[in-house]
PDB file of all heavy atoms in Angstrom:
ATOM      1  N   ALA A 298      -3.645  -5.364 -10.735  1.00 96.00           N
ATOM      2  CA  ALA A 298      -2.717  -6.479 -10.877  1.00 96.00           C
ATOM      3  C   ALA A 298      -1.282  -6.135 -10.504  1.00 96.00           C
ATOM      4  O   ALA A 298      -0.324  -6.728 -10.999  1.00 96.00           O
ATOM      5  CB  ALA A 298      -2.769  -7.017 -12.305  1.00 96.00           C
ATOM      6  N   CYS A 299      -1.149  -5.155  -9.653  1.00 94.00           N
ATOM      7  CA  CYS A 299       0.130  -4.833  -9.011  1.00 94.00           C
ATOM      8  C   CYS A 299      -0.240  -4.552  -7.567  1.00 94.00           C
ATOM      9  O   CYS A 299      -1.249  -3.879  -7.305  1.00 94.00           O
ATOM     10  CB  CYS A 299       0.793  -3.618  -9.654  1.00 94.00           C
ATOM     11  SG  CYS A 299       2.182  -2.969  -8.690  1.00 94.00           S
ATOM     12  N   THR A 300       0.524  -5.058  -6.619  1.00 92.00           N
ATOM     13  CA  THR A 300       0.122  -4.931  -5.212  1.00 92.00           C
ATOM     14  C   THR A 300       0.184  -3.495  -4.706  1.00 92.00           C
ATOM     15  O   THR A 300      -0.272  -3.216  -3.591  1.00 92.00           O
ATOM     16  CB  THR A 300       0.967  -5.860  -4.318  1.00 92.00           C
ATOM     17  OG1 THR A 300       2.346  -5.791  -4.712  1.00 92.00           O
ATOM     18  CG2 THR A 300       0.483  -7.296  -4.441  1.00 92.00           C
ATOM     19  N   GLU A 301       0.696  -2.567  -5.514  1.00 93.00           N
ATOM     20  CA  GLU A 301       0.618  -1.145  -5.159  1.00 93.00           C
ATOM     21  C   GLU A 301      -0.707  -0.512  -5.605  1.00 93.00           C
ATOM     22  O   GLU A 301      -1.166   0.466  -5.016  1.00 93.00           O
ATOM     23  CB  GLU A 301       1.779  -0.363  -5.787  1.00 93.00           C
ATOM     24  CG  GLU A 301       3.029  -0.262  -4.934  1.00 93.00           C
ATOM     25  CD  GLU A 301       3.814  -1.560  -4.902  1.00 93.00           C
ATOM     26  OE1 GLU A 301       3.812  -2.293  -5.896  1.00 93.00           O
ATOM     27  OE2 GLU A 301       4.440  -1.854  -3.867  1.00 93.00           O
ATOM     28  N   ILE A 302      -1.308  -1.047  -6.648  1.00 96.00           N
ATOM     29  CA  ILE A 302      -2.510  -0.440  -7.221  1.00 96.00           C
ATOM     30  C   ILE A 302      -3.684  -0.380  -6.238  1.00 96.00           C
ATOM     31  O   ILE A 302      -4.393   0.646  -6.190  1.00 96.00           O
ATOM     32  CB  ILE A 302      -2.916  -1.148  -8.534  1.00 96.00           C
ATOM     33  CG1 ILE A 302      -1.845  -0.943  -9.615  1.00 96.00           C
ATOM     34  CG2 ILE A 302      -4.263  -0.647  -9.034  1.00 96.00           C
ATOM     35  CD1 ILE A 302      -1.620   0.510 -10.028  1.00 96.00           C
ATOM     36  N   PRO A 303      -3.954  -1.422  -5.435  1.00 94.00           N
ATOM     37  CA  PRO A 303      -5.071  -1.314  -4.487  1.00 94.00           C
ATOM     38  C   PRO A 303      -4.952  -0.132  -3.529  1.00 94.00           C
ATOM     39  O   PRO A 303      -5.970   0.370  -3.033  1.00 94.00           O
ATOM     40  CB  PRO A 303      -5.009  -2.645  -3.722  1.00 94.00           C
ATOM     41  CG  PRO A 303      -4.398  -3.587  -4.691  1.00 94.00           C
ATOM     42  CD  PRO A 303      -3.368  -2.783  -5.426  1.00 94.00           C
ATOM     43  N   ILE A 304      -3.729   0.316  -3.292  1.00 94.00           N
ATOM     44  CA  ILE A 304      -3.520   1.449  -2.388  1.00 94.00           C
ATOM     45  C   ILE A 304      -4.010   2.746  -3.041  1.00 94.00           C
ATOM     46  O   ILE A 304      -4.348   3.714  -2.358  1.00 94.00           O
ATOM     47  CB  ILE A 304      -2.030   1.517  -1.982  1.00 94.00           C
ATOM     48  CG1 ILE A 304      -1.656   0.228  -1.226  1.00 94.00           C
ATOM     49  CG2 ILE A 304      -1.737   2.727  -1.109  1.00 94.00           C
ATOM     50  CD1 ILE A 304      -0.182  -0.015  -1.079  1.00 94.00           C
ATOM     51  N   LEU A 305      -4.131   2.740  -4.375  1.00 97.00           N
ATOM     52  CA  LEU A 305      -4.652   3.892  -5.107  1.00 97.00           C
ATOM     53  C   LEU A 305      -6.167   3.854  -5.272  1.00 97.00           C
ATOM     54  O   LEU A 305      -6.799   4.883  -5.549  1.00 97.00           O
ATOM     55  CB  LEU A 305      -3.999   3.964  -6.496  1.00 97.00           C
ATOM     56  CG  LEU A 305      -2.558   4.493  -6.558  1.00 97.00           C
ATOM     57  CD1 LEU A 305      -1.858   3.973  -7.806  1.00 97.00           C
ATOM     58  CD2 LEU A 305      -2.529   6.011  -6.525  1.00 97.00           C
ATOM     59  N   LEU A 306      -6.771   2.681  -5.110  1.00 96.00           N
ATOM     60  CA  LEU A 306      -8.199   2.531  -5.384  1.00 96.00           C
ATOM     61  C   LEU A 306      -9.106   3.439  -4.551  1.00 96.00           C
ATOM     62  O   LEU A 306     -10.123   3.919  -5.069  1.00 96.00           O
ATOM     63  CB  LEU A 306      -8.623   1.067  -5.224  1.00 96.00           C
ATOM     64  CG  LEU A 306      -8.017   0.075  -6.221  1.00 96.00           C
ATOM     65  CD1 LEU A 306      -8.628  -1.313  -6.039  1.00 96.00           C
ATOM     66  CD2 LEU A 306      -8.188   0.548  -7.653  1.00 96.00           C
ATOM     67  N   PRO A 307      -8.790   3.708  -3.271  1.00 96.00           N
ATOM     68  CA  PRO A 307      -9.670   4.616  -2.517  1.00 96.00           C
ATOM     69  C   PRO A 307      -9.744   6.029  -3.101  1.00 96.00           C
ATOM     70  O   PRO A 307     -10.664   6.784  -2.768  1.00 96.00           O
ATOM     71  CB  PRO A 307      -9.027   4.642  -1.120  1.00 96.00           C
ATOM     72  CG  PRO A 307      -8.293   3.346  -1.016  1.00 96.00           C
ATOM     73  CD  PRO A 307      -7.770   3.103  -2.399  1.00 96.00           C
ATOM     74  N   TYR A 308      -8.809   6.365  -3.978  1.00 97.00           N
ATOM     75  CA  TYR A 308      -8.789   7.698  -4.578  1.00 97.00           C
ATOM     76  C   TYR A 308      -9.564   7.764  -5.893  1.00 97.00           C
ATOM     77  O   TYR A 308      -9.673   8.830  -6.500  1.00 97.00           O
ATOM     78  CB  TYR A 308      -7.335   8.126  -4.850  1.00 97.00           C
ATOM     79  CG  TYR A 308      -6.505   8.296  -3.603  1.00 97.00           C
ATOM     80  CD1 TYR A 308      -5.806   7.215  -3.060  1.00 97.00           C
ATOM     81  CD2 TYR A 308      -6.397   9.529  -2.960  1.00 97.00           C
ATOM     82  CE1 TYR A 308      -5.034   7.358  -1.912  1.00 97.00           C
ATOM     83  CE2 TYR A 308      -5.631   9.694  -1.821  1.00 97.00           C
ATOM     84  CZ  TYR A 308      -4.954   8.596  -1.297  1.00 97.00           C
ATOM     85  OH  TYR A 308      -4.194   8.744  -0.163  1.00 97.00           O
ATOM     86  N   LEU A 309     -10.112   6.631  -6.343  1.00 96.00           N
ATOM     87  CA  LEU A 309     -10.835   6.611  -7.610  1.00 96.00           C
ATOM     88  C   LEU A 309     -12.094   7.479  -7.550  1.00 96.00           C
ATOM     89  O   LEU A 309     -12.864   7.399  -6.595  1.00 96.00           O
ATOM     90  CB  LEU A 309     -11.248   5.189  -7.965  1.00 96.00           C
ATOM     91  CG  LEU A 309     -10.297   4.361  -8.841  1.00 96.00           C
ATOM     92  CD1 LEU A 309     -10.909   2.988  -9.092  1.00 96.00           C
ATOM     93  CD2 LEU A 309     -10.000   5.048 -10.158  1.00 96.00           C
ATOM     94  N   LYS A 310     -12.317   8.271  -8.580  1.00 91.00           N
ATOM     95  CA  LYS A 310     -13.516   9.111  -8.659  1.00 91.00           C
ATOM     96  C   LYS A 310     -14.566   8.482  -9.569  1.00 91.00           C
ATOM     97  O   LYS A 310     -15.754   8.729  -9.418  1.00 91.00           O
ATOM     98  CB  LYS A 310     -13.135  10.504  -9.171  1.00 91.00           C
ATOM     99  CG  LYS A 310     -12.249  11.279  -8.191  1.00 91.00           C
ATOM    100  CD  LYS A 310     -11.916  12.663  -8.718  1.00 91.00           C
ATOM    101  CE  LYS A 310     -11.049  13.424  -7.713  1.00 91.00           C
ATOM    102  NZ  LYS A 310     -10.690  14.778  -8.216  1.00 91.00           N
ATOM    103  N   LYS A 311     -14.115   7.673 -10.504  1.00 85.00           N
ATOM    104  CA  LYS A 311     -15.011   7.021 -11.449  1.00 85.00           C
ATOM    105  C   LYS A 311     -15.486   5.689 -10.874  1.00 85.00           C
ATOM    106  O   LYS A 311     -14.712   4.953 -10.263  1.00 85.00           O
ATOM    107  CB  LYS A 311     -14.269   6.792 -12.774  1.00 85.00           C
ATOM    108  CG  LYS A 311     -15.115   6.184 -13.879  1.00 85.00           C
ATOM    109  CD  LYS A 311     -14.263   6.027 -15.136  1.00 85.00           C
ATOM    110  CE  LYS A 311     -15.071   5.397 -16.268  1.00 85.00           C
ATOM    111  NZ  LYS A 311     -14.236   5.213 -17.490  1.00 85.00           N
ATOM    112  N   ASP A 312     -16.770   5.397 -11.043  1.00 90.00           N
ATOM    113  CA  ASP A 312     -17.329   4.137 -10.546  1.00 90.00           C
ATOM    114  C   ASP A 312     -17.045   3.038 -11.568  1.00 90.00           C
ATOM    115  O   ASP A 312     -17.751   2.902 -12.570  1.00 90.00           O
ATOM    116  CB  ASP A 312     -18.835   4.285 -10.322  1.00 90.00           C
ATOM    117  CG  ASP A 312     -19.436   3.033  -9.704  1.00 90.00           C
ATOM    118  OD1 ASP A 312     -18.672   2.242  -9.119  1.00 90.00           O
ATOM    119  OD2 ASP A 312     -20.663   2.849  -9.809  1.00 90.00           O
ATOM    120  N   VAL A 313     -15.985   2.273 -11.335  1.00 94.00           N
ATOM    121  CA  VAL A 313     -15.614   1.190 -12.241  1.00 94.00           C
ATOM    122  C   VAL A 313     -15.556  -0.123 -11.473  1.00 94.00           C
ATOM    123  O   VAL A 313     -15.405  -0.135 -10.249  1.00 94.00           O
ATOM    124  CB  VAL A 313     -14.254   1.459 -12.922  1.00 94.00           C
ATOM    125  CG1 VAL A 313     -14.336   2.667 -13.824  1.00 94.00           C
ATOM    126  CG2 VAL A 313     -13.146   1.635 -11.891  1.00 94.00           C
ATOM    127  N   LYS A 314     -15.660  -1.217 -12.191  1.00 96.00           N
ATOM    128  CA  LYS A 314     -15.610  -2.540 -11.574  1.00 96.00           C
ATOM    129  C   LYS A 314     -14.155  -2.991 -11.488  1.00 96.00           C
ATOM    130  O   LYS A 314     -13.497  -3.207 -12.506  1.00 96.00           O
ATOM    131  CB  LYS A 314     -16.438  -3.533 -12.398  1.00 96.00           C
ATOM    132  CG  LYS A 314     -17.915  -3.197 -12.435  1.00 96.00           C
ATOM    133  CD  LYS A 314     -18.671  -4.115 -13.384  1.00 96.00           C
ATOM    134  CE  LYS A 314     -20.146  -3.745 -13.428  1.00 96.00           C
ATOM    135  NZ  LYS A 314     -20.893  -4.542 -14.428  1.00 96.00           N
ATOM    136  N   PHE A 315     -13.665  -3.094 -10.270  1.00 96.00           N
ATOM    137  CA  PHE A 315     -12.272  -3.467 -10.042  1.00 96.00           C
ATOM    138  C   PHE A 315     -12.197  -4.768  -9.256  1.00 96.00           C
ATOM    139  O   PHE A 315     -12.910  -4.960  -8.272  1.00 96.00           O
ATOM    140  CB  PHE A 315     -11.558  -2.373  -9.236  1.00 96.00           C
ATOM    141  CG  PHE A 315     -10.484  -1.650 -10.013  1.00 96.00           C
ATOM    142  CD1 PHE A 315     -10.720  -0.388 -10.523  1.00 96.00           C
ATOM    143  CD2 PHE A 315      -9.240  -2.229 -10.214  1.00 96.00           C
ATOM    144  CE1 PHE A 315      -9.746   0.303 -11.230  1.00 96.00           C
ATOM    145  CE2 PHE A 315      -8.253  -1.554 -10.925  1.00 96.00           C
ATOM    146  CZ  PHE A 315      -8.499  -0.282 -11.435  1.00 96.00           C
ATOM    147  N   ILE A 316     -11.336  -5.668  -9.688  1.00 97.00           N
ATOM    148  CA  ILE A 316     -10.949  -6.827  -8.889  1.00 97.00           C
ATOM    149  C   ILE A 316      -9.628  -6.478  -8.231  1.00 97.00           C
ATOM    150  O   ILE A 316      -8.642  -6.175  -8.911  1.00 97.00           O
ATOM    151  CB  ILE A 316     -10.780  -8.094  -9.762  1.00 97.00           C
ATOM    152  CG1 ILE A 316     -12.141  -8.634 -10.196  1.00 97.00           C
ATOM    153  CG2 ILE A 316     -10.007  -9.177  -9.012  1.00 97.00           C
ATOM    154  CD1 ILE A 316     -12.958  -9.280  -9.095  1.00 97.00           C
ATOM    155  N   ASP A 317      -9.626  -6.468  -6.906  1.00 96.00           N
ATOM    156  CA  ASP A 317      -8.413  -6.197  -6.142  1.00 96.00           C
ATOM    157  C   ASP A 317      -7.663  -7.517  -5.991  1.00 96.00           C
ATOM    158  O   ASP A 317      -8.046  -8.379  -5.200  1.00 96.00           O
ATOM    159  CB  ASP A 317      -8.799  -5.611  -4.774  1.00 96.00           C
ATOM    160  CG  ASP A 317      -7.601  -5.320  -3.885  1.00 96.00           C
ATOM    161  OD1 ASP A 317      -6.491  -5.803  -4.189  1.00 96.00           O
ATOM    162  OD2 ASP A 317      -7.783  -4.631  -2.859  1.00 96.00           O
ATOM    163  N   ALA A 318      -6.597  -7.694  -6.784  1.00 96.00           N
ATOM    164  CA  ALA A 318      -5.853  -8.957  -6.764  1.00 96.00           C
ATOM    165  C   ALA A 318      -5.314  -9.269  -5.371  1.00 96.00           C
ATOM    166  O   ALA A 318      -5.284 -10.430  -4.952  1.00 96.00           O
ATOM    167  CB  ALA A 318      -4.716  -8.903  -7.785  1.00 96.00           C
ATOM    168  N   THR A 319      -4.897  -8.237  -4.649  1.00 95.00           N
ATOM    169  CA  THR A 319      -4.388  -8.442  -3.291  1.00 95.00           C
ATOM    170  C   THR A 319      -5.474  -9.010  -2.386  1.00 95.00           C
ATOM    171  O   THR A 319      -5.222  -9.917  -1.581  1.00 95.00           O
ATOM    172  CB  THR A 319      -3.862  -7.120  -2.703  1.00 95.00           C
ATOM    173  OG1 THR A 319      -2.847  -6.592  -3.566  1.00 95.00           O
ATOM    174  CG2 THR A 319      -3.261  -7.337  -1.321  1.00 95.00           C
ATOM    175  N   GLU A 320      -6.683  -8.495  -2.524  1.00 97.00           N
ATOM    176  CA  GLU A 320      -7.787  -8.992  -1.705  1.00 97.00           C
ATOM    177  C   GLU A 320      -8.122 -10.445  -2.049  1.00 97.00           C
ATOM    178  O   GLU A 320      -8.411 -11.251  -1.157  1.00 97.00           O
ATOM    179  CB  GLU A 320      -9.021  -8.120  -1.888  1.00 97.00           C
ATOM    180  CG  GLU A 320     -10.177  -8.524  -0.989  1.00 97.00           C
ATOM    181  CD  GLU A 320     -11.304  -7.510  -0.963  1.00 97.00           C
ATOM    182  OE1 GLU A 320     -11.054  -6.346  -1.317  1.00 97.00           O
ATOM    183  OE2 GLU A 320     -12.421  -7.883  -0.580  1.00 97.00           O
ATOM    184  N   GLU A 321      -8.064 -10.775  -3.339  1.00 98.00           N
ATOM    185  CA  GLU A 321      -8.336 -12.165  -3.735  1.00 98.00           C
ATOM    186  C   GLU A 321      -7.257 -13.098  -3.200  1.00 98.00           C
ATOM    187  O   GLU A 321      -7.548 -14.229  -2.791  1.00 98.00           O
ATOM    188  CB  GLU A 321      -8.434 -12.274  -5.260  1.00 98.00           C
ATOM    189  CG  GLU A 321      -9.568 -11.467  -5.878  1.00 98.00           C
ATOM    190  CD  GLU A 321     -10.914 -11.701  -5.207  1.00 98.00           C
ATOM    191  OE1 GLU A 321     -11.214 -12.862  -4.857  1.00 98.00           O
ATOM    192  OE2 GLU A 321     -11.659 -10.716  -5.032  1.00 98.00           O
ATOM    193  N   LEU A 322      -6.027 -12.627  -3.172  1.00 98.00           N
ATOM    194  CA  LEU A 322      -4.943 -13.427  -2.592  1.00 98.00           C
ATOM    195  C   LEU A 322      -5.165 -13.600  -1.097  1.00 98.00           C
ATOM    196  O   LEU A 322      -4.970 -14.696  -0.548  1.00 98.00           O
ATOM    197  CB  LEU A 322      -3.594 -12.767  -2.859  1.00 98.00           C
ATOM    198  CG  LEU A 322      -2.358 -13.481  -2.282  1.00 98.00           C
ATOM    199  CD1 LEU A 322      -2.271 -14.909  -2.775  1.00 98.00           C
ATOM    200  CD2 LEU A 322      -1.090 -12.705  -2.632  1.00 98.00           C
ATOM    201  N   ALA A 323      -5.579 -12.533  -0.446  1.00 98.00           N
ATOM    202  CA  ALA A 323      -5.857 -12.614   1.001  1.00 98.00           C
ATOM    203  C   ALA A 323      -6.961 -13.638   1.289  1.00 98.00           C
ATOM    204  O   ALA A 323      -6.862 -14.424   2.224  1.00 98.00           O
ATOM    205  CB  ALA A 323      -6.258 -11.237   1.542  1.00 98.00           C
TER     206      ALA A 323
END
C-alpha cells in the first residue's frame, strides 16, 4: 500500500499473498 513497496516484492523470500496496489491501479 505504498507505491515503493512493489519494487521490494521481487526480493521476497517468503511465499505470502500480496496485493500489489500499483498493479491494481494500473
Side-chain angles (χ1 to χ4, degrees):
C299 168
T300 43
E301 270 75 32
I302 295 298
I304 298 165
L305 283 156
L306 295 186
Y308 295 89
L309 268 181
K310 294 181 179 179
K311 183 179 179 181
D312 184 20
V313 295
K314 296 174 181 175
F315 247 103
I316 286 289
D317 179 346
T319 303
E320 184 169 340
E321 298 310 320
L322 179 57

